[in-house]
Amino acid sequence: MENGAEKEAVGEGFDGARAAVLVAGLRRGFASGRTRSYEWRAAQLKGIARMIDDKEAEIMAALHDDLAKPHMESYLHEVPTSITTFPSSAEIVSEPLGVVLVISAWNYPFLLSIDPVIGAIAAGNAVALKPSEVAPATSSLFATILPKYTDNSFVKVVEGSIPETTALLEQKWDKIFYTGNGKVGRIVMTAAAKHLTPVALELGGKCPVLVDSNVNVKVATKRIAVGKWGCNNGQACVSPDYILTTKSFAPTLVDAMKKTLEKFYGKDPLESPDLSRIVNANHFRRLTSLLDDEKVSGTIVYGGQQDEKRLKIAPTLLLDVPHDSLIMKEEIFGPLLPIITFNEVEDCLDFINLKAKPLAAYLFTKDKRLEERFVKTVSAGGMLINDTALHLANPHLPFGGVGESGIGAYHGKFSFDSFSHKKAVLSRGFGGEAPARYPPYTPQKQKILRGLINGSIVALLVAILGWPRD
């Protein structure tokens, strides 16, 4: 076959092991970056077009063998063409999906509830909101005030915890919008699958920050710090989860981070009024257990102070924690910030790409070539160059994850789109008949129709002057 390709048997003997080999091979090929180039994409599409032209007779024969499909139908239906719709007008109508469920998160309990609710209402849906029970004051507030400002017949608030959420998920919805973690996201998706309900999952992940050595380190550390500890003390899905830099630049970066943190939160950060507490005792214990890990405890280079009674943990820097430690396996979602070092910047890029795709990825550099490579090779829900977190404030950008960091996007018009169905509408009059589309499919009809599709002037004149009669 062309290009040395061989026919791959996927029938008898094709099992899970062979499927795994097949997928692994495809992933290796994708990782090479070849499919990203314009040239590769264009070549494949041209190849498919050439295949259809070259093998038309064989395609027609196969369709006839399978379905006894007339050649004319095969040509009209299986080969894309819009000629048989002429004359007509077309439009895309946005219609509401119907009745939707919004399950929100505790870390920004007002914003992450009201934002998708606004999108759902703007699109014309009826909506049920389930605020997070981990933020009970905000949940109660929603239950009290939202019915006073919206039509309670179509906008409902359901308070509660796991039993109430489970009861909601057992119902059939026209869309479920969930913000939270991947574990619960899988539960939501499983429940939705029973009714073939579409979902939007706004999850999280380990958001990396790659810091090049050519940056303005004073500005960079301020922007990293405010994106980490200035966002709920790290309890935010877009907060920097870990820093990557070179071994030679790490001492400079660590020193600058220490100075920035002391300037922001003082010598005793646990007393700073500008630092949020950990949401509850369970999350406090989860975070302290990450620090108590014997692989990690010796890597603390700044901070680490704790106050269990007040659920406070100081901004904490860790240098070169082991890659297999728990803190590098799960999303931190708190004030701990590991700094991982490599000899070369390229090694940092490889490290990011070995992990699950994050909700956000950040790069600090003055090197435009590195920026271009970062944008091209790193897959993430969103990116920000030389800052952190601010991209989600731009209403003209979609906000959402990719892979394990989420499904779907919202914010601004994207919220409207998330809760809408784009309905295709084609409208025709009763003129402009094309008799060739109707049986019996004579050779003359097929010849004229083919010519018309291929741009033949003669065929066009025949169509204008009058199609052959039935």
PDB file of all heavy atoms in Angstrom, residues 41-72:
ATOM      1  N   ARG A  41      -1.567  17.865   8.541  1.00  0.00           N
ATOM      2  CA  ARG A  41      -3.025  17.846   8.486  1.00  0.00           C
ATOM      3  C   ARG A  41      -3.511  17.976   7.041  1.00  0.00           C
ATOM      4  O   ARG A  41      -4.409  17.238   6.592  1.00  0.00           O
ATOM      5  CB  ARG A  41      -3.602  18.985   9.327  1.00  0.00           C
ATOM      6  CG  ARG A  41      -3.166  18.961  10.776  1.00  0.00           C
ATOM      7  CD  ARG A  41      -3.817  20.085  11.549  1.00  0.00           C
ATOM      8  NE  ARG A  41      -3.026  20.464  12.702  1.00  0.00           N
ATOM      9  CZ  ARG A  41      -3.491  21.183  13.720  1.00  0.00           C
ATOM     10  NH1 ARG A  41      -4.739  21.591  13.716  1.00  0.00           N
ATOM     11  NH2 ARG A  41      -2.705  21.500  14.730  1.00  0.00           N
ATOM     12  N   ALA A  42      -2.927  18.941   6.314  1.00  0.00           N
ATOM     13  CA  ALA A  42      -3.344  19.164   4.932  1.00  0.00           C
ATOM     14  C   ALA A  42      -3.080  17.918   4.083  1.00  0.00           C
ATOM     15  O   ALA A  42      -3.907  17.530   3.243  1.00  0.00           O
ATOM     16  CB  ALA A  42      -2.612  20.367   4.358  1.00  0.00           C
ATOM     17  N   ALA A  43      -1.930  17.286   4.312  1.00  0.00           N
ATOM     18  CA  ALA A  43      -1.580  16.101   3.522  1.00  0.00           C
ATOM     19  C   ALA A  43      -2.571  14.969   3.767  1.00  0.00           C
ATOM     20  O   ALA A  43      -2.975  14.263   2.824  1.00  0.00           O
ATOM     21  CB  ALA A  43      -0.166  15.644   3.859  1.00  0.00           C
ATOM     22  N   GLN A  44      -2.991  14.786   5.008  1.00  0.00           N
ATOM     23  CA  GLN A  44      -3.929  13.700   5.309  1.00  0.00           C
ATOM     24  C   GLN A  44      -5.295  13.964   4.672  1.00  0.00           C
ATOM     25  O   GLN A  44      -5.929  13.061   4.124  1.00  0.00           O
ATOM     26  CB  GLN A  44      -4.091  13.521   6.825  1.00  0.00           C
ATOM     27  CG  GLN A  44      -2.808  13.393   7.620  1.00  0.00           C
ATOM     28  CD  GLN A  44      -1.779  12.509   6.954  1.00  0.00           C
ATOM     29  OE1 GLN A  44      -2.028  11.331   6.700  1.00  0.00           O
ATOM     30  NE2 GLN A  44      -0.611  13.080   6.676  1.00  0.00           N
ATOM     31  N   LEU A  45      -5.754  15.207   4.758  1.00  0.00           N
ATOM     32  CA  LEU A  45      -7.059  15.542   4.186  1.00  0.00           C
ATOM     33  C   LEU A  45      -7.037  15.421   2.666  1.00  0.00           C
ATOM     34  O   LEU A  45      -8.002  14.946   2.049  1.00  0.00           O
ATOM     35  CB  LEU A  45      -7.467  16.952   4.614  1.00  0.00           C
ATOM     36  CG  LEU A  45      -7.668  17.136   6.124  1.00  0.00           C
ATOM     37  CD1 LEU A  45      -8.012  18.582   6.444  1.00  0.00           C
ATOM     38  CD2 LEU A  45      -8.752  16.208   6.649  1.00  0.00           C
ATOM     39  N   LYS A  46      -5.920  15.844   2.066  1.00  0.00           N
ATOM     40  CA  LYS A  46      -5.793  15.680   0.617  1.00  0.00           C
ATOM     41  C   LYS A  46      -5.770  14.199   0.253  1.00  0.00           C
ATOM     42  O   LYS A  46      -6.322  13.788  -0.781  1.00  0.00           O
ATOM     43  CB  LYS A  46      -4.522  16.359   0.120  1.00  0.00           C
ATOM     44  CG  LYS A  46      -4.599  17.892   0.143  1.00  0.00           C
ATOM     45  CD  LYS A  46      -3.272  18.521  -0.276  1.00  0.00           C
ATOM     46  CE  LYS A  46      -3.340  20.042  -0.216  1.00  0.00           C
ATOM     47  NZ  LYS A  46      -2.036  20.668  -0.535  1.00  0.00           N
ATOM     48  N   GLY A  47      -5.131  13.406   1.091  1.00  0.00           N
ATOM     49  CA  GLY A  47      -5.085  11.969   0.854  1.00  0.00           C
ATOM     50  C   GLY A  47      -6.464  11.341   0.903  1.00  0.00           C
ATOM     51  O   GLY A  47      -6.806  10.471   0.089  1.00  0.00           O
ATOM     52  N   ILE A  48      -7.292  11.777   1.854  1.00  0.00           N
ATOM     53  CA  ILE A  48      -8.648  11.254   1.949  1.00  0.00           C
ATOM     54  C   ILE A  48      -9.470  11.655   0.725  1.00  0.00           C
ATOM     55  O   ILE A  48     -10.229  10.850   0.165  1.00  0.00           O
ATOM     56  CB  ILE A  48      -9.313  11.745   3.249  1.00  0.00           C
ATOM     57  CG1 ILE A  48      -8.634  11.081   4.469  1.00  0.00           C
ATOM     58  CG2 ILE A  48     -10.812  11.437   3.251  1.00  0.00           C
ATOM     59  CD1 ILE A  48      -9.092  11.619   5.803  1.00  0.00           C
ATOM     60  N   ALA A  49      -9.314  12.931   0.308  1.00  0.00           N
ATOM     61  CA  ALA A  49     -10.028  13.381  -0.894  1.00  0.00           C
ATOM     62  C   ALA A  49      -9.607  12.565  -2.109  1.00  0.00           C
ATOM     63  O   ALA A  49     -10.443  12.166  -2.939  1.00  0.00           O
ATOM     64  CB  ALA A  49      -9.759  14.861  -1.126  1.00  0.00           C
ATOM     65  N   ARG A  50      -8.290  12.292  -2.213  1.00  0.00           N
ATOM     66  CA  ARG A  50      -7.787  11.499  -3.333  1.00  0.00           C
ATOM     67  C   ARG A  50      -8.321  10.068  -3.268  1.00  0.00           C
ATOM     68  O   ARG A  50      -8.663   9.459  -4.277  1.00  0.00           O
ATOM     69  CB  ARG A  50      -6.259  11.510  -3.317  1.00  0.00           C
ATOM     70  CG  ARG A  50      -5.616  10.928  -4.577  1.00  0.00           C
ATOM     71  CD  ARG A  50      -4.117  11.142  -4.587  1.00  0.00           C
ATOM     72  NE  ARG A  50      -3.441  10.406  -3.533  1.00  0.00           N
ATOM     73  CZ  ARG A  50      -2.919  10.969  -2.438  1.00  0.00           C
ATOM     74  NH1 ARG A  50      -2.994  12.272  -2.254  1.00  0.00           N
ATOM     75  NH2 ARG A  50      -2.303  10.236  -1.529  1.00  0.00           N
ATOM     76  N   MET A  51      -8.401   9.534  -2.052  1.00  0.00           N
ATOM     77  CA  MET A  51      -8.923   8.181  -1.860  1.00  0.00           C
ATOM     78  C   MET A  51     -10.360   8.074  -2.365  1.00  0.00           C
ATOM     79  O   MET A  51     -10.725   7.112  -3.058  1.00  0.00           O
ATOM     80  CB  MET A  51      -8.866   7.809  -0.377  1.00  0.00           C
ATOM     81  CG  MET A  51      -9.474   6.454  -0.040  1.00  0.00           C
ATOM     82  SD  MET A  51      -9.691   6.217   1.744  1.00  0.00           S
ATOM     83  CE  MET A  51     -11.124   7.273   2.035  1.00  0.00           C
ATOM     84  N   ILE A  52     -11.181   9.070  -2.015  1.00  0.00           N
ATOM     85  CA  ILE A  52     -12.580   9.036  -2.447  1.00  0.00           C
ATOM     86  C   ILE A  52     -12.681   9.093  -3.958  1.00  0.00           C
ATOM     87  O   ILE A  52     -13.495   8.398  -4.576  1.00  0.00           O
ATOM     88  CB  ILE A  52     -13.359  10.192  -1.785  1.00  0.00           C
ATOM     89  CG1 ILE A  52     -13.435   9.955  -0.262  1.00  0.00           C
ATOM     90  CG2 ILE A  52     -14.758  10.318  -2.368  1.00  0.00           C
ATOM     91  CD1 ILE A  52     -14.010  11.119   0.511  1.00  0.00           C
ATOM     92  N   ASP A  53     -11.842   9.934  -4.574  1.00  0.00           N
ATOM     93  CA  ASP A  53     -11.847  10.022  -6.035  1.00  0.00           C
ATOM     94  C   ASP A  53     -11.366   8.726  -6.681  1.00  0.00           C
ATOM     95  O   ASP A  53     -11.993   8.198  -7.606  1.00  0.00           O
ATOM     96  CB  ASP A  53     -10.956  11.178  -6.495  1.00  0.00           C
ATOM     97  CG  ASP A  53     -11.602  12.533  -6.253  1.00  0.00           C
ATOM     98  OD1 ASP A  53     -12.835  12.586  -6.096  1.00  0.00           O
ATOM     99  OD2 ASP A  53     -10.858  13.534  -6.205  1.00  0.00           O
ATOM    100  N   ASP A  54     -10.242   8.204  -6.168  1.00  0.00           N
ATOM    101  CA  ASP A  54      -9.628   7.027  -6.783  1.00  0.00           C
ATOM    102  C   ASP A  54     -10.469   5.768  -6.591  1.00  0.00           C
ATOM    103  O   ASP A  54     -10.515   4.899  -7.472  1.00  0.00           O
ATOM    104  CB  ASP A  54      -8.232   6.791  -6.202  1.00  0.00           C
ATOM    105  CG  ASP A  54      -7.236   7.876  -6.593  1.00  0.00           C
ATOM    106  OD1 ASP A  54      -7.568   8.692  -7.478  1.00  0.00           O
ATOM    107  OD2 ASP A  54      -6.144   7.924  -5.986  1.00  0.00           O
ATOM    108  N   LYS A  55     -11.101   5.664  -5.436  1.00  0.00           N
ATOM    109  CA  LYS A  55     -11.770   4.415  -5.065  1.00  0.00           C
ATOM    110  C   LYS A  55     -13.293   4.535  -5.090  1.00  0.00           C
ATOM    111  O   LYS A  55     -13.984   3.749  -4.447  1.00  0.00           O
ATOM    112  CB  LYS A  55     -11.309   3.975  -3.672  1.00  0.00           C
ATOM    113  CG  LYS A  55      -9.811   3.828  -3.527  1.00  0.00           C
ATOM    114  CD  LYS A  55      -9.250   2.747  -4.452  1.00  0.00           C
ATOM    115  CE  LYS A  55      -7.751   2.577  -4.264  1.00  0.00           C
ATOM    116  NZ  LYS A  55      -7.189   1.573  -5.194  1.00  0.00           N
ATOM    117  N   GLU A  56     -13.791   5.488  -5.847  1.00  0.00           N
ATOM    118  CA  GLU A  56     -15.239   5.704  -5.849  1.00  0.00           C
ATOM    119  C   GLU A  56     -15.996   4.441  -6.229  1.00  0.00           C
ATOM    120  O   GLU A  56     -16.988   4.070  -5.586  1.00  0.00           O
ATOM    121  CB  GLU A  56     -15.608   6.844  -6.792  1.00  0.00           C
ATOM    122  CG  GLU A  56     -17.112   7.103  -6.829  1.00  0.00           C
ATOM    123  CD  GLU A  56     -17.499   8.176  -7.823  1.00  0.00           C
ATOM    124  OE1 GLU A  56     -16.782   9.197  -7.924  1.00  0.00           O
ATOM    125  OE2 GLU A  56     -18.518   7.983  -8.519  1.00  0.00           O
ATOM    126  N   ALA A  57     -15.542   3.748  -7.252  1.00  0.00           N
ATOM    127  CA  ALA A  57     -16.250   2.554  -7.706  1.00  0.00           C
ATOM    128  C   ALA A  57     -16.279   1.484  -6.614  1.00  0.00           C
ATOM    129  O   ALA A  57     -17.306   0.822  -6.391  1.00  0.00           O
ATOM    130  CB  ALA A  57     -15.588   2.003  -8.970  1.00  0.00           C
ATOM    131  N   GLU A  58     -15.151   1.312  -5.934  1.00  0.00           N
ATOM    132  CA  GLU A  58     -15.091   0.318  -4.867  1.00  0.00           C
ATOM    133  C   GLU A  58     -15.972   0.709  -3.691  1.00  0.00           C
ATOM    134  O   GLU A  58     -16.607  -0.133  -3.049  1.00  0.00           O
ATOM    135  CB  GLU A  58     -13.645   0.141  -4.414  1.00  0.00           C
ATOM    136  CG  GLU A  58     -12.736  -0.444  -5.485  1.00  0.00           C
ATOM    137  CD  GLU A  58     -11.280  -0.459  -5.060  1.00  0.00           C
ATOM    138  OE1 GLU A  58     -11.009  -0.844  -3.912  1.00  0.00           O
ATOM    139  OE2 GLU A  58     -10.426  -0.062  -5.877  1.00  0.00           O
ATOM    140  N   ILE A  59     -16.014   2.019  -3.402  1.00  0.00           N
ATOM    141  CA  ILE A  59     -16.876   2.500  -2.318  1.00  0.00           C
ATOM    142  C   ILE A  59     -18.339   2.234  -2.649  1.00  0.00           C
ATOM    143  O   ILE A  59     -19.113   1.740  -1.825  1.00  0.00           O
ATOM    144  CB  ILE A  59     -16.638   4.009  -2.073  1.00  0.00           C
ATOM    145  CG1 ILE A  59     -15.219   4.240  -1.527  1.00  0.00           C
ATOM    146  CG2 ILE A  59     -17.665   4.568  -1.089  1.00  0.00           C
ATOM    147  CD1 ILE A  59     -14.806   5.706  -1.493  1.00  0.00           C
ATOM    148  N   MET A  60     -18.714   2.557  -3.879  1.00  0.00           N
ATOM    149  CA  MET A  60     -20.084   2.323  -4.326  1.00  0.00           C
ATOM    150  C   MET A  60     -20.429   0.837  -4.244  1.00  0.00           C
ATOM    151  O   MET A  60     -21.528   0.452  -3.827  1.00  0.00           O
ATOM    152  CB  MET A  60     -20.261   2.809  -5.759  1.00  0.00           C
ATOM    153  CG  MET A  60     -20.044   4.303  -5.973  1.00  0.00           C
ATOM    154  SD  MET A  60     -21.345   5.286  -5.256  1.00  0.00           S
ATOM    155  CE  MET A  60     -20.901   6.909  -5.907  1.00  0.00           C
ATOM    156  N   ALA A  61     -19.488  -0.016  -4.660  1.00  0.00           N
ATOM    157  CA  ALA A  61     -19.727  -1.459  -4.643  1.00  0.00           C
ATOM    158  C   ALA A  61     -19.922  -1.973  -3.218  1.00  0.00           C
ATOM    159  O   ALA A  61     -20.804  -2.800  -2.951  1.00  0.00           O
ATOM    160  CB  ALA A  61     -18.568  -2.187  -5.324  1.00  0.00           C
ATOM    161  N   ALA A  62     -19.090  -1.463  -2.288  1.00  0.00           N
ATOM    162  CA  ALA A  62     -19.207  -1.890  -0.900  1.00  0.00           C
ATOM    163  C   ALA A  62     -20.546  -1.457  -0.307  1.00  0.00           C
ATOM    164  O   ALA A  62     -21.206  -2.226   0.411  1.00  0.00           O
ATOM    165  CB  ALA A  62     -18.053  -1.307  -0.083  1.00  0.00           C
ATOM    166  N   LEU A  63     -20.965  -0.228  -0.620  1.00  0.00           N
ATOM    167  CA  LEU A  63     -22.250   0.255  -0.125  1.00  0.00           C
ATOM    168  C   LEU A  63     -23.403  -0.563  -0.702  1.00  0.00           C
ATOM    169  O   LEU A  63     -24.395  -0.840  -0.015  1.00  0.00           O
ATOM    170  CB  LEU A  63     -22.423   1.734  -0.484  1.00  0.00           C
ATOM    171  CG  LEU A  63     -21.511   2.708   0.268  1.00  0.00           C
ATOM    172  CD1 LEU A  63     -21.611   4.110  -0.333  1.00  0.00           C
ATOM    173  CD2 LEU A  63     -21.857   2.742   1.750  1.00  0.00           C
ATOM    174  N   HIS A  64     -23.246  -0.973  -1.943  1.00  0.00           N
ATOM    175  CA  HIS A  64     -24.285  -1.797  -2.551  1.00  0.00           C
ATOM    176  C   HIS A  64     -24.314  -3.181  -1.920  1.00  0.00           C
ATOM    177  O   HIS A  64     -25.384  -3.749  -1.667  1.00  0.00           O
ATOM    178  CB  HIS A  64     -24.062  -1.908  -4.065  1.00  0.00           C
ATOM    179  CG  HIS A  64     -25.214  -2.556  -4.785  1.00  0.00           C
ATOM    180  ND1 HIS A  64     -25.309  -3.919  -4.955  1.00  0.00           N
ATOM    181  CD2 HIS A  64     -26.329  -2.017  -5.349  1.00  0.00           C
ATOM    182  CE1 HIS A  64     -26.425  -4.194  -5.603  1.00  0.00           C
ATOM    183  NE2 HIS A  64     -27.064  -3.064  -5.855  1.00  0.00           N
ATOM    184  N   ASP A  65     -23.140  -3.742  -1.633  1.00  0.00           N
ATOM    185  CA  ASP A  65     -23.083  -5.054  -0.983  1.00  0.00           C
ATOM    186  C   ASP A  65     -23.727  -5.020   0.399  1.00  0.00           C
ATOM    187  O   ASP A  65     -24.437  -5.942   0.805  1.00  0.00           O
ATOM    188  CB  ASP A  65     -21.626  -5.519  -0.854  1.00  0.00           C
ATOM    189  CG  ASP A  65     -21.032  -5.937  -2.197  1.00  0.00           C
ATOM    190  OD1 ASP A  65     -21.812  -6.111  -3.165  1.00  0.00           O
ATOM    191  OD2 ASP A  65     -19.799  -6.075  -2.278  1.00  0.00           O
ATOM    192  N   ASP A  66     -23.480  -3.947   1.129  1.00  0.00           N
ATOM    193  CA  ASP A  66     -24.000  -3.861   2.500  1.00  0.00           C
ATOM    194  C   ASP A  66     -25.473  -3.502   2.558  1.00  0.00           C
ATOM    195  O   ASP A  66     -26.218  -4.022   3.396  1.00  0.00           O
ATOM    196  CB  ASP A  66     -23.205  -2.809   3.303  1.00  0.00           C
ATOM    197  CG  ASP A  66     -21.815  -3.292   3.674  1.00  0.00           C
ATOM    198  OD1 ASP A  66     -21.622  -4.522   3.729  1.00  0.00           O
ATOM    199  OD2 ASP A  66     -20.942  -2.442   3.912  1.00  0.00           O
ATOM    200  N   LEU A  67     -25.896  -2.570   1.690  1.00  0.00           N
ATOM    201  CA  LEU A  67     -27.239  -2.008   1.818  1.00  0.00           C
ATOM    202  C   LEU A  67     -28.065  -2.064   0.540  1.00  0.00           C
ATOM    203  O   LEU A  67     -29.193  -1.567   0.526  1.00  0.00           O
ATOM    204  CB  LEU A  67     -27.137  -0.536   2.262  1.00  0.00           C
ATOM    205  CG  LEU A  67     -26.471  -0.289   3.612  1.00  0.00           C
ATOM    206  CD1 LEU A  67     -26.056   1.168   3.738  1.00  0.00           C
ATOM    207  CD2 LEU A  67     -27.427  -0.659   4.741  1.00  0.00           C
ATOM    208  N   ALA A  68     -27.494  -2.643  -0.522  1.00  0.00           N
ATOM    209  CA  ALA A  68     -28.136  -2.586  -1.843  1.00  0.00           C
ATOM    210  C   ALA A  68     -28.461  -1.148  -2.199  1.00  0.00           C
ATOM    211  O   ALA A  68     -29.494  -0.848  -2.809  1.00  0.00           O
ATOM    212  CB  ALA A  68     -29.394  -3.461  -1.884  1.00  0.00           C
ATOM    213  N   LYS A  69     -27.579  -0.254  -1.811  1.00  0.00           N
ATOM    214  CA  LYS A  69     -27.823   1.174  -2.002  1.00  0.00           C
ATOM    215  C   LYS A  69     -27.592   1.538  -3.462  1.00  0.00           C
ATOM    216  O   LYS A  69     -26.544   1.242  -4.032  1.00  0.00           O
ATOM    217  CB  LYS A  69     -26.890   1.994  -1.103  1.00  0.00           C
ATOM    218  CG  LYS A  69     -27.126   3.502  -1.185  1.00  0.00           C
ATOM    219  CD  LYS A  69     -26.239   4.266  -0.209  1.00  0.00           C
ATOM    220  CE  LYS A  69     -26.769   4.139   1.203  1.00  0.00           C
ATOM    221  NZ  LYS A  69     -26.128   5.141   2.102  1.00  0.00           N
ATOM    222  N   PRO A  70     -28.564   2.211  -4.088  1.00  0.00           N
ATOM    223  CA  PRO A  70     -28.375   2.658  -5.485  1.00  0.00           C
ATOM    224  C   PRO A  70     -27.167   3.581  -5.596  1.00  0.00           C
ATOM    225  O   PRO A  70     -26.884   4.359  -4.687  1.00  0.00           O
ATOM    226  CB  PRO A  70     -29.673   3.418  -5.781  1.00  0.00           C
ATOM    227  CG  PRO A  70     -30.672   2.885  -4.808  1.00  0.00           C
ATOM    228  CD  PRO A  70     -29.894   2.551  -3.572  1.00  0.00           C
ATOM    229  N   HIS A  71     -26.469   3.501  -6.711  1.00  0.00           N
ATOM    230  CA  HIS A  71     -25.262   4.306  -6.892  1.00  0.00           C
ATOM    231  C   HIS A  71     -25.554   5.798  -6.777  1.00  0.00           C
ATOM    232  O   HIS A  71     -24.746   6.565  -6.260  1.00  0.00           O
ATOM    233  CB  HIS A  71     -24.614   3.986  -8.240  1.00  0.00           C
ATOM    234  CG  HIS A  71     -23.904   2.672  -8.242  1.00  0.00           C
ATOM    235  ND1 HIS A  71     -23.061   2.277  -9.267  1.00  0.00           N
ATOM    236  CD2 HIS A  71     -23.889   1.653  -7.353  1.00  0.00           C
ATOM    237  CE1 HIS A  71     -22.575   1.078  -8.998  1.00  0.00           C
ATOM    238  NE2 HIS A  71     -23.083   0.675  -7.848  1.00  0.00           N
ATOM    239  N   MET A  72     -26.686   6.224  -7.273  1.00  0.00           N
ATOM    240  CA  MET A  72     -27.025   7.646  -7.210  1.00  0.00           C
ATOM    241  C   MET A  72     -27.171   8.107  -5.763  1.00  0.00           C
ATOM    242  O   MET A  72     -26.699   9.178  -5.383  1.00  0.00           O
ATOM    243  CB  MET A  72     -28.319   7.896  -7.981  1.00  0.00           C
ATOM    244  CG  MET A  72     -28.649   9.363  -8.151  1.00  0.00           C
ATOM    245  SD  MET A  72     -27.503  10.169  -9.270  1.00  0.00           S
ATOM    246  CE  MET A  72     -28.571  11.380 -10.015  1.00  0.00           C
TER     247      MET A  72
END
